Amino acid sequence: MKVYADNAATTKVRPEALDAYVKTSQTLFGNPSSLHSEGQRAKELLEDCRARVAAVLGADPREIYFTSGGSEADNQAILSAAKSGALKGKKKIVSTAIEHHAVLHTLEKLKKEGFEVVLLPVDGSGIVKVADAEAAIDENCCLVSVMTANNEIGTIQPVEEIGALCRAKKVPFHTDAVQAVGHLPVDVNKFGCDYLALSGHKFEGPRGVGALYCRRGAPLFNLVEGGAQERGKRAGTEDLPAIAAMTVALELAVKNLPETAKTVQTLRDFVIDGLSSIPHCALNGDRERRLAGNVSFCFEGVEGEALLLYLDDLGVCASSGSACTSGSLDPSHVLLAIGRVHDVAHGSLRLTFNENNTMEEMKYLVEAVKTVVSKVRSFSPVWRDLQTGKRQYIL
Amino acid sequence: MSLYSEKVMDHFRNPRNVGVIENPDGVGEVGNAKCGDIMKMYIKVENGILVDVKFETFGCGSAIASSSMATEMIKGKPLSEALALTNKAVTEALGGLPAYKLHCSVLAEQAVQAAILDYYKKNNIPYDPADFKNALEEHGHGDGDGE
């Protein structure tokens, strides 16, 4: 059996989105900046897509900027707020320790340029405390950036509360909603955010396309110089087929959202319950406040890459936060932030589902993971030491 | 195109000489759990020949494959030959490793040396510390001969 359980990495494009892609590239291929009728028809579709994406987010169409994806949107939002803040002498940014690298690396860059970056910790379940945000936000803050939901451990952050806090303190608020849009109700007004980043391929749209919501009045500078596309904020001919496909995928994702989330959650809970019976393992992230399709575990005495490769042999596509899968020395910063020590963080496994997964797959998956964990442990000197008492169990 | 060569995947899927030797003549353990890889090598020696070798590895695919390959390359060989095993030879026998995985082959070389050193020490056999330079070094990533 083949089980694709890596939907947080990317998804299979849904047929309706693919149809929109093909149809747009074949029948609306004009450049939206062209004056002729082909161009103007394309322009109409572009603006129609903008309005539809805006409607899903509760935004005004003029607040939506199409980008190449979530990373670009995150970069543009953060760099814009920082640049604007610096002009006013405000050079402090508050974010969290568990952000995606699109946010963290942008902040590191700003740090080198003299910004003060405060990364809020998370508790053991991977959730930021609103009180910590409140304590960190002061008059020097030019931006607060807190992700809506975490990509590795699926935890849903208190963005509405933090948004309200930012409103009250008059500090711009950005949220990386790449993992949330299409999976959770996302409303820019409820969130109280000034910036929001989303990515098409996380909800069965194409990759290479995303959007930035930027509240009217919030500063926005372009990253690429060139033509006047996206009201001068993002140069380059719009990828209209991808934008059209993403729009269709987004509308379909939110159309039956409560029902879909419930179905996917049933799969998730089945897998969490099934894997919990493996000795010396732990679920990463909060049991309740997590994305409907996210399962993340650490298994003691096991290394994640070996787990993934053996699972791949059994037809299961999964992901891990082990150092070996990233080519770096350290395991995932998210797992370290929730207090997993290195030894344990190396043995992580992330399984992410969507509505294309079935219960039959989940049953197979749970057995496959059990088999593979036992196999890896059977020749792990760490596991032997744990079992013989030479090493103390952590989980 | 996959991450690893066919040879690496073969040794990863079907590791040779995996397990433990009860009452071994020498044991070597290198690496650490913090870095995400530990190799443990058990040896049985008769008349200066490695009559049996077994390994246990906590680590990624290339760590498992490297230890498996190393045991295959030294089993049945005289100690002097086993001591001459280099990470480069292990890597070559595996059909190459990605650059950032070369340290796994270094670990395999170190594990073999550590096991033999343990055997020498246990039996009060005089040895030249220069032969065990690598085994005595701290484990670090990014080591190894580049390809």
Side-chain angles (χ1 to χ4, degrees), chain A residues 273-324:
Chain A
D273 290 344
L275 298 185
S276 296
S277 68
I278 295 175
H280 303 287
C281 74
L283 178 71
N284 299 313
D286 195 82
R287 182 69 179 80
E288 306 299 329
R289 282 191 65 151
R290 70 189 302 133
L291 290 167
N294 176 290
V295 173
S296 171
F297 269 90
C298 278
F299 301 101
E300 201 156 10
V302 165
E303 195 283 325
E305 192 207 87
L307 213 57
L308 294 192
L309 290 170
Y310 284 132
L311 280 174
D312 193 35
D313 277 348
L314 295 179
V316 176
C317 298
S319 153
S320 168
S322 90
C324 272

Short mmCIF file of all heavy atoms in Angstrom, two decimals, chain A residues 273-324:
data_model
loop_
_atom_site.label_atom_id
_atom_site.label_comp_id
_atom_site.label_asym_id
_atom_site.label_seq_id
_atom_site.Cartn_x
_atom_site.Cartn_y
_atom_site.Cartn_z
N ASP A 273 -3.68 7.60 18.69
CA ASP A 273 -4.00 6.53 19.64
C ASP A 273 -3.19 5.27 19.33
O ASP A 273 -2.67 4.62 20.23
CB ASP A 273 -5.50 6.21 19.61
CG ASP A 273 -6.33 7.34 20.20
OD1 ASP A 273 -5.74 8.20 20.91
OD2 ASP A 273 -7.55 7.39 19.95
N GLY A 274 -3.09 4.96 18.06
CA GLY A 274 -2.38 3.74 17.64
C GLY A 274 -0.90 3.80 17.98
O GLY A 274 -0.33 2.85 18.50
N LEU A 275 -0.28 4.94 17.71
CA LEU A 275 1.17 5.05 17.93
C LEU A 275 1.51 5.22 19.42
O LEU A 275 2.62 4.89 19.84
CB LEU A 275 1.76 6.21 17.11
CG LEU A 275 1.63 6.09 15.60
CD1 LEU A 275 2.37 7.24 14.91
CD2 LEU A 275 2.19 4.75 15.10
N SER A 276 0.55 5.71 20.19
CA SER A 276 0.79 5.91 21.62
C SER A 276 1.09 4.60 22.33
O SER A 276 1.67 4.61 23.42
CB SER A 276 -0.41 6.59 22.28
OG SER A 276 -0.57 7.88 21.74
N SER A 277 0.69 3.48 21.72
CA SER A 277 0.93 2.19 22.38
C SER A 277 2.38 1.73 22.21
O SER A 277 2.79 0.75 22.82
CB SER A 277 -0.04 1.13 21.82
OG SER A 277 0.30 0.85 20.48
N ILE A 278 3.15 2.41 21.37
CA ILE A 278 4.57 2.06 21.24
C ILE A 278 5.27 2.51 22.53
O ILE A 278 5.09 3.64 22.97
CB ILE A 278 5.19 2.77 20.01
CG1 ILE A 278 4.55 2.24 18.72
CG2 ILE A 278 6.71 2.59 19.98
CD1 ILE A 278 4.99 2.95 17.45
N PRO A 279 6.05 1.61 23.15
CA PRO A 279 6.69 2.02 24.41
C PRO A 279 7.71 3.15 24.22
O PRO A 279 8.35 3.23 23.17
CB PRO A 279 7.41 0.74 24.89
CG PRO A 279 7.29 -0.25 23.82
CD PRO A 279 6.33 0.22 22.79
N HIS A 280 7.81 3.99 25.22
CA HIS A 280 8.79 5.09 25.25
C HIS A 280 8.73 6.00 24.03
O HIS A 280 9.69 6.17 23.30
CB HIS A 280 10.20 4.54 25.48
CG HIS A 280 10.29 3.74 26.74
ND1 HIS A 280 10.28 4.33 27.98
CD2 HIS A 280 10.31 2.40 26.94
CE1 HIS A 280 10.31 3.37 28.89
NE2 HIS A 280 10.33 2.20 28.30
N CYS A 281 7.52 6.53 23.82
CA CYS A 281 7.36 7.52 22.78
C CYS A 281 6.55 8.67 23.37
O CYS A 281 6.03 8.56 24.48
CB CYS A 281 6.63 6.94 21.58
SG CYS A 281 4.87 6.70 21.84
N ALA A 282 6.50 9.78 22.68
CA ALA A 282 5.69 10.90 23.15
C ALA A 282 5.17 11.70 21.96
O ALA A 282 5.87 11.86 20.95
CB ALA A 282 6.51 11.81 24.06
N LEU A 283 3.93 12.16 22.10
CA LEU A 283 3.34 13.02 21.09
C LEU A 283 3.97 14.40 21.25
O LEU A 283 4.13 14.90 22.35
CB LEU A 283 1.82 13.12 21.33
CG LEU A 283 1.04 14.02 20.38
CD1 LEU A 283 0.95 13.42 18.98
CD2 LEU A 283 -0.37 14.28 20.91
N ASN A 284 4.34 15.01 20.13
CA ASN A 284 4.85 16.38 20.17
C ASN A 284 3.72 17.35 19.89
O ASN A 284 2.97 17.16 18.94
CB ASN A 284 5.94 16.58 19.11
CG ASN A 284 7.13 15.68 19.33
OD1 ASN A 284 7.63 15.56 20.45
ND2 ASN A 284 7.58 15.02 18.28
N GLY A 285 3.61 18.37 20.74
CA GLY A 285 2.55 19.36 20.52
C GLY A 285 1.30 19.02 21.29
O GLY A 285 1.14 17.89 21.77
N ASP A 286 0.44 20.00 21.42
CA ASP A 286 -0.77 19.84 22.21
C ASP A 286 -1.70 18.81 21.59
O ASP A 286 -1.85 18.73 20.36
CB ASP A 286 -1.48 21.20 22.29
CG ASP A 286 -2.53 21.21 23.38
OD1 ASP A 286 -2.17 21.42 24.54
OD2 ASP A 286 -3.72 20.99 23.04
N ARG A 287 -2.37 18.03 22.45
CA ARG A 287 -3.25 16.97 21.97
C ARG A 287 -4.50 17.55 21.29
O ARG A 287 -4.99 17.01 20.30
CB ARG A 287 -3.66 16.09 23.16
CG ARG A 287 -4.56 14.91 22.81
CD ARG A 287 -3.80 13.87 22.00
NE ARG A 287 -4.63 12.71 21.68
CZ ARG A 287 -5.53 12.69 20.71
NH1 ARG A 287 -5.72 13.74 19.96
NH2 ARG A 287 -6.24 11.59 20.47
N GLU A 288 -5.02 18.66 21.83
CA GLU A 288 -6.25 19.23 21.30
C GLU A 288 -6.02 20.39 20.33
O GLU A 288 -6.61 20.44 19.27
CB GLU A 288 -7.15 19.72 22.46
CG GLU A 288 -7.45 18.66 23.52
CD GLU A 288 -8.20 17.46 22.95
OE1 GLU A 288 -8.98 17.64 22.00
OE2 GLU A 288 -7.98 16.33 23.45
N ARG A 289 -5.18 21.33 20.77
CA ARG A 289 -4.98 22.54 19.96
C ARG A 289 -3.97 22.29 18.85
O ARG A 289 -2.88 22.84 18.84
CB ARG A 289 -4.49 23.69 20.84
CG ARG A 289 -5.60 24.33 21.63
CD ARG A 289 -5.12 25.60 22.26
NE ARG A 289 -4.80 26.60 21.24
CZ ARG A 289 -4.88 27.90 21.43
NH1 ARG A 289 -5.27 28.37 22.59
NH2 ARG A 289 -4.56 28.74 20.48
N ARG A 290 -4.34 21.39 17.94
CA ARG A 290 -3.42 21.08 16.85
C ARG A 290 -4.18 20.96 15.53
O ARG A 290 -5.39 20.72 15.52
CB ARG A 290 -2.60 19.82 17.13
CG ARG A 290 -3.39 18.51 17.10
CD ARG A 290 -2.57 17.35 17.60
NE ARG A 290 -1.34 17.18 16.84
CZ ARG A 290 -0.14 17.01 17.41
NH1 ARG A 290 -0.02 16.98 18.71
NH2 ARG A 290 0.92 16.85 16.65
N LEU A 291 -3.47 21.13 14.44
CA LEU A 291 -4.08 21.01 13.12
C LEU A 291 -4.73 19.64 12.97
O LEU A 291 -4.20 18.64 13.48
CB LEU A 291 -3.01 21.20 12.04
CG LEU A 291 -2.46 22.62 11.88
CD1 LEU A 291 -1.21 22.61 11.01
CD2 LEU A 291 -3.52 23.55 11.30
N ALA A 292 -5.85 19.61 12.27
CA ALA A 292 -6.61 18.37 12.13
C ALA A 292 -5.80 17.25 11.49
O ALA A 292 -6.07 16.08 11.73
CB ALA A 292 -7.86 18.63 11.30
N GLY A 293 -4.80 17.61 10.69
CA GLY A 293 -4.06 16.57 9.97
C GLY A 293 -2.65 16.32 10.46
O GLY A 293 -1.89 15.63 9.79
N ASN A 294 -2.30 16.85 11.63
CA ASN A 294 -0.90 16.71 12.09
C ASN A 294 -0.70 15.70 13.20
O ASN A 294 -1.36 15.75 14.24
CB ASN A 294 -0.36 18.08 12.55
CG ASN A 294 1.05 17.98 13.12
OD1 ASN A 294 1.27 17.43 14.19
ND2 ASN A 294 2.01 18.50 12.38
N VAL A 295 0.24 14.79 12.97
CA VAL A 295 0.69 13.85 14.00
C VAL A 295 2.20 13.98 14.08
O VAL A 295 2.88 13.94 13.06
CB VAL A 295 0.32 12.39 13.65
CG1 VAL A 295 0.94 11.42 14.64
CG2 VAL A 295 -1.20 12.22 13.61
N SER A 296 2.74 14.19 15.28
CA SER A 296 4.19 14.27 15.43
C SER A 296 4.59 13.54 16.70
O SER A 296 4.04 13.80 17.76
CB SER A 296 4.62 15.75 15.50
OG SER A 296 5.98 15.83 15.86
N PHE A 297 5.52 12.61 16.54
CA PHE A 297 5.95 11.81 17.68
C PHE A 297 7.47 11.79 17.79
O PHE A 297 8.17 11.97 16.80
CB PHE A 297 5.51 10.34 17.51
CG PHE A 297 4.16 10.03 18.09
CD1 PHE A 297 3.02 10.15 17.33
CD2 PHE A 297 4.05 9.59 19.41
CE1 PHE A 297 1.76 9.86 17.87
CE2 PHE A 297 2.81 9.29 19.95
CZ PHE A 297 1.66 9.42 19.18
N CYS A 298 7.97 11.57 19.01
CA CYS A 298 9.37 11.23 19.20
C CYS A 298 9.42 9.82 19.76
O CYS A 298 8.64 9.48 20.67
CB CYS A 298 10.06 12.18 20.18
SG CYS A 298 10.57 13.73 19.41
N PHE A 299 10.31 9.00 19.21
CA PHE A 299 10.51 7.63 19.69
C PHE A 299 11.92 7.53 20.24
O PHE A 299 12.89 7.86 19.56
CB PHE A 299 10.33 6.63 18.54
CG PHE A 299 8.98 6.70 17.89
CD1 PHE A 299 8.82 7.35 16.67
CD2 PHE A 299 7.87 6.15 18.50
CE1 PHE A 299 7.58 7.44 16.06
CE2 PHE A 299 6.61 6.23 17.90
CZ PHE A 299 6.47 6.88 16.68
N GLU A 300 12.02 7.06 21.45
CA GLU A 300 13.34 6.98 22.07
C GLU A 300 14.17 5.82 21.50
O GLU A 300 13.64 4.76 21.17
CB GLU A 300 13.18 6.80 23.59
CG GLU A 300 14.42 7.20 24.31
CD GLU A 300 14.16 7.60 25.76
OE1 GLU A 300 13.04 7.38 26.25
OE2 GLU A 300 15.09 8.12 26.39
N GLY A 301 15.49 6.07 21.38
CA GLY A 301 16.40 5.03 20.90
C GLY A 301 16.37 4.84 19.39
O GLY A 301 16.89 3.85 18.87
N VAL A 302 15.74 5.79 18.68
CA VAL A 302 15.53 5.66 17.25
C VAL A 302 16.03 6.94 16.58
O VAL A 302 15.90 8.02 17.12
CB VAL A 302 14.01 5.49 16.98
CG1 VAL A 302 13.67 5.72 15.53
CG2 VAL A 302 13.52 4.13 17.45
N GLU A 303 16.58 6.80 15.37
CA GLU A 303 16.99 7.97 14.61
C GLU A 303 16.01 8.15 13.46
O GLU A 303 15.66 7.19 12.78
CB GLU A 303 18.43 7.79 14.14
CG GLU A 303 19.10 9.06 13.66
CD GLU A 303 18.65 9.48 12.28
OE1 GLU A 303 18.40 8.58 11.44
OE2 GLU A 303 18.53 10.68 12.03
N GLY A 304 15.61 9.39 13.26
CA GLY A 304 14.52 9.69 12.34
C GLY A 304 14.74 9.34 10.88
O GLY A 304 13.83 8.87 10.20
N GLU A 305 15.94 9.57 10.39
CA GLU A 305 16.14 9.33 8.95
C GLU A 305 16.00 7.85 8.62
O GLU A 305 15.41 7.47 7.61
CB GLU A 305 17.51 9.83 8.48
CG GLU A 305 17.59 9.83 6.96
CD GLU A 305 18.99 9.67 6.42
OE1 GLU A 305 19.44 8.51 6.26
OE2 GLU A 305 19.63 10.69 6.15
N ALA A 306 16.55 7.00 9.49
CA ALA A 306 16.44 5.56 9.27
C ALA A 306 14.96 5.17 9.25
O ALA A 306 14.51 4.38 8.41
CB ALA A 306 17.18 4.81 10.37
N LEU A 307 14.21 5.77 10.17
CA LEU A 307 12.77 5.53 10.25
C LEU A 307 12.09 5.87 8.92
O LEU A 307 11.30 5.08 8.38
CB LEU A 307 12.23 6.45 11.35
CG LEU A 307 11.06 6.02 12.20
CD1 LEU A 307 11.36 4.72 12.90
CD2 LEU A 307 10.79 7.10 13.26
N LEU A 308 12.42 7.05 8.39
CA LEU A 308 11.80 7.50 7.14
C LEU A 308 12.13 6.58 5.96
O LEU A 308 11.27 6.28 5.15
CB LEU A 308 12.29 8.91 6.78
CG LEU A 308 11.89 10.06 7.69
CD1 LEU A 308 12.21 11.38 7.00
CD2 LEU A 308 10.41 10.01 8.04
N LEU A 309 13.41 6.16 5.91
CA LEU A 309 13.81 5.32 4.77
C LEU A 309 13.15 3.95 4.82
O LEU A 309 12.73 3.42 3.79
CB LEU A 309 15.34 5.19 4.74
CG LEU A 309 16.11 6.46 4.37
CD1 LEU A 309 17.60 6.27 4.61
CD2 LEU A 309 15.86 6.87 2.93
N TYR A 310 13.06 3.37 6.03
CA TYR A 310 12.38 2.07 6.13
C TYR A 310 10.88 2.23 5.86
O TYR A 310 10.26 1.38 5.24
CB TYR A 310 12.60 1.45 7.52
CG TYR A 310 13.99 0.85 7.72
CD1 TYR A 310 14.73 1.14 8.86
CD2 TYR A 310 14.54 -0.02 6.77
CE1 TYR A 310 15.99 0.60 9.05
CE2 TYR A 310 15.80 -0.56 6.96
CZ TYR A 310 16.53 -0.25 8.09
OH TYR A 310 17.77 -0.79 8.29
N LEU A 311 10.30 3.34 6.31
CA LEU A 311 8.88 3.58 6.03
C LEU A 311 8.66 3.74 4.53
O LEU A 311 7.68 3.24 3.97
CB LEU A 311 8.38 4.84 6.77
CG LEU A 311 8.05 4.67 8.24
CD1 LEU A 311 7.71 6.02 8.87
CD2 LEU A 311 6.88 3.70 8.43
N ASP A 312 9.59 4.43 3.89
CA ASP A 312 9.49 4.62 2.44
C ASP A 312 9.47 3.27 1.74
O ASP A 312 8.72 3.06 0.78
CB ASP A 312 10.68 5.47 1.97
CG ASP A 312 10.49 5.99 0.56
OD1 ASP A 312 9.33 6.29 0.18
OD2 ASP A 312 11.48 6.11 -0.18
N ASP A 313 10.28 2.33 2.22
CA ASP A 313 10.29 0.99 1.65
C ASP A 313 8.94 0.30 1.82
O ASP A 313 8.59 -0.59 1.04
CB ASP A 313 11.38 0.13 2.31
CG ASP A 313 12.76 0.38 1.68
OD1 ASP A 313 12.82 1.02 0.62
OD2 ASP A 313 13.76 -0.07 2.26
N LEU A 314 8.19 0.69 2.85
CA LEU A 314 6.86 0.11 3.06
C LEU A 314 5.78 0.95 2.38
O LEU A 314 4.59 0.75 2.60
CB LEU A 314 6.57 -0.01 4.57
CG LEU A 314 7.46 -0.97 5.37
CD1 LEU A 314 7.08 -0.96 6.84
CD2 LEU A 314 7.34 -2.40 4.81
N GLY A 315 6.21 1.94 1.62
CA GLY A 315 5.25 2.75 0.86
C GLY A 315 4.71 3.96 1.59
O GLY A 315 3.77 4.60 1.13
N VAL A 316 5.31 4.27 2.75
CA VAL A 316 4.81 5.41 3.53
C VAL A 316 5.73 6.62 3.37
O VAL A 316 6.93 6.53 3.64
CB VAL A 316 4.72 5.04 5.03
CG1 VAL A 316 4.30 6.25 5.86
CG2 VAL A 316 3.74 3.89 5.24
N CYS A 317 5.16 7.73 2.92
CA CYS A 317 5.93 8.97 2.79
C CYS A 317 5.69 9.81 4.02
O CYS A 317 4.57 10.25 4.29
CB CYS A 317 5.47 9.76 1.56
SG CYS A 317 5.73 8.88 0.03
N ALA A 318 6.75 10.03 4.81
CA ALA A 318 6.63 10.81 6.04
C ALA A 318 7.78 11.78 6.13
O ALA A 318 8.55 11.94 5.18
CB ALA A 318 6.62 9.87 7.24
N SER A 319 7.90 12.44 7.28
CA SER A 319 8.93 13.46 7.46
C SER A 319 9.45 13.39 8.89
O SER A 319 8.82 12.79 9.76
CB SER A 319 8.29 14.81 7.14
OG SER A 319 8.92 15.85 7.81
N SER A 320 10.64 13.97 9.11
CA SER A 320 11.24 13.93 10.44
C SER A 320 11.99 15.22 10.71
O SER A 320 12.42 15.90 9.80
CB SER A 320 12.21 12.74 10.54
OG SER A 320 12.98 12.85 11.71
N GLY A 321 12.16 15.52 11.97
CA GLY A 321 12.93 16.70 12.35
C GLY A 321 14.33 16.34 12.81
O GLY A 321 14.97 17.11 13.51
N SER A 322 14.79 15.15 12.43
CA SER A 322 16.13 14.74 12.87
C SER A 322 17.19 15.55 12.14
O SER A 322 16.95 16.08 11.06
CB SER A 322 16.35 13.25 12.60
OG SER A 322 16.90 13.05 11.33
N ALA A 323 18.37 15.65 12.74
CA ALA A 323 19.45 16.43 12.12
C ALA A 323 19.84 15.84 10.79
O ALA A 323 20.13 16.55 9.84
CB ALA A 323 20.64 16.47 13.05
N CYS A 324 19.82 14.51 10.72
CA CYS A 324 20.28 13.84 9.51
C CYS A 324 19.41 14.14 8.31
O CYS A 324 19.85 14.05 7.18
CB CYS A 324 20.36 12.33 9.73
SG CYS A 324 21.96 11.88 10.41
#
